[in-house]
Amino acid sequence: MHLIELYKSVQGESSFAGVPCIFVRLAGCNLRCSWCDSEYTFTGGKPFTADEILAQIEALMDRLLANNYTLMIETSGEQPLAAVPRAVHKIVDVKCPGAGAAANTFRIENLEALTPHDEVKFVLSDRADYEFARDFIHTHSLATRCGEILLSPAFLKNPTDQRSTDNAALDPRLLVEWMLADGLPARLSLQIHKYIWEPRKKGV
């Protein structure tokens, strides 16, 4: 296990947005989304054992749950999720066409691992991504499988320091108009940490 960051901030996404959290960010993502804002996590990181991380935040997975933490895992959905404890809140990405090489990597059997307190997220960069997400939601009856469906506008790869929607690859207002027109059972999810701090700032 290679640890990139360990810090305390507020959750920037999901239905937990705004809630103070401890973030454990690991290295080694094997996907390469075209809009990724965390490329610094692809390699490197300081090697920690589970016991060493435990010493700093008192556990991972079962050990965190045993200590009455509310535990969230954010994952691409490309890796199997069946072994994740059901008490963990899974926030699972389904990669849209705009993700580039990472598109269509979602493991369909992970739908069976979803619970009513889990969330499925789509990061959208254009209308084609929206239509993909809309069709996926309907085809797989997603609203009956998880607690929340999140639609999140992608951010520009090289944003300015302005804390505004000008840095969004897809205008959130346009996305909301599409959602309302289709009556989509989903929630708009903005990355609020990119409006609290400058969009390029890390460790927040």
Side-chain angles (χ1 to χ4, degrees):
M1 181 179 293
H2 282 70
L3 187 66
I4 290 286
E5 293 176 307
L6 175 60
Y7 60 94
K8 187 174 184 179
S9 186
V10 295
Q11 175 61 267
E13 304 178 70
S14 80
S15 65
F16 291 89
V19 176
C21 293
I22 297 170
F23 292 81
V24 181
R25 191 184 298 275
L26 304 178
C29 181
N30 58 307
L31 301 182
R32 297 293 183 266
C33 297
S34 59
W35 37 255
C36 182
D37 61 359
S38 304
E39 292 176 335
Y40 62 99
T41 68
F42 287 171
T43 59
K46 182 178 179 181
F48 278 77
T49 66
D51 283 340
E52 287 169 332
I53 293 176
L54 172 63
Q56 297 184 61
I57 62 166
E58 299 183 310
L60 284 174
M61 289 283 219
D62 288 330
R63 297 164 86 175
L64 280 166
L65 293 171
N67 283 283
N68 296 315
Y69 279 92
T70 298
L71 183 59
M72 290 165 273
I73 181 172
E74 297 190 38
T75 176
S76 69
E78 184 261 348
Q79 296 293 320
L81 297 176
V84 176
R86 291 181 65 83
V88 174
H89 295 267
K90 297 184 289 295
I91 303 167
V92 186
D93 265 343
V94 177
K95 304 301 184 184
C96 298
N104 300 316
T105 55
F106 183 78
R107 189 182 292 260
I108 291 295
E109 57 265 35
N110 279 337
L111 293 175
E112 302 303 320
L114 297 176
T115 73
H117 64 230
D118 293 333
E119 307 183 17
V120 176
K121 182 176 72 173
F122 300 85
V123 177
L124 313 174
S125 55
D126 55 24
R127 176 71 188 189
D129 281 354
Y130 171 78
E131 291 179 359
F132 170 88
R134 180 193 62 197
D135 294 346
F136 190 100
I137 290 167
H138 291 316
T139 299
H140 298 288
S141 303
L142 209 53
T144 67
R145 294 177 178 270
C146 62
E148 295 285 352
I149 301 168
L150 311 171
L151 300 186
S152 180
F155 250 64
L156 299 177
K157 286 282 288 185
N158 295 299
T160 68
D161 286 333
Q162 297 300 311
R163 297 176 297 159
S164 75
T165 58
D166 291 342
N167 286 310
L170 174 61
D171 187 336
R173 183 170 63 184
L174 187 58
L175 174 54
V176 168
E177 291 173 357
W178 296 340
M179 292 168 62
L180 294 177
D182 289 334
L184 209 59
R187 173 194 292 241
L188 176 70
S189 178
L190 298 178
Q191 295 177 293
I192 65 170
H193 53 291
K194 293 184 178 178
Y195 297 93
I196 299 171
W197 295 278
E198 293 73 21
R200 287 179 285 192
K201 190 172 180 63
K202 306 301 181 187
V204 294

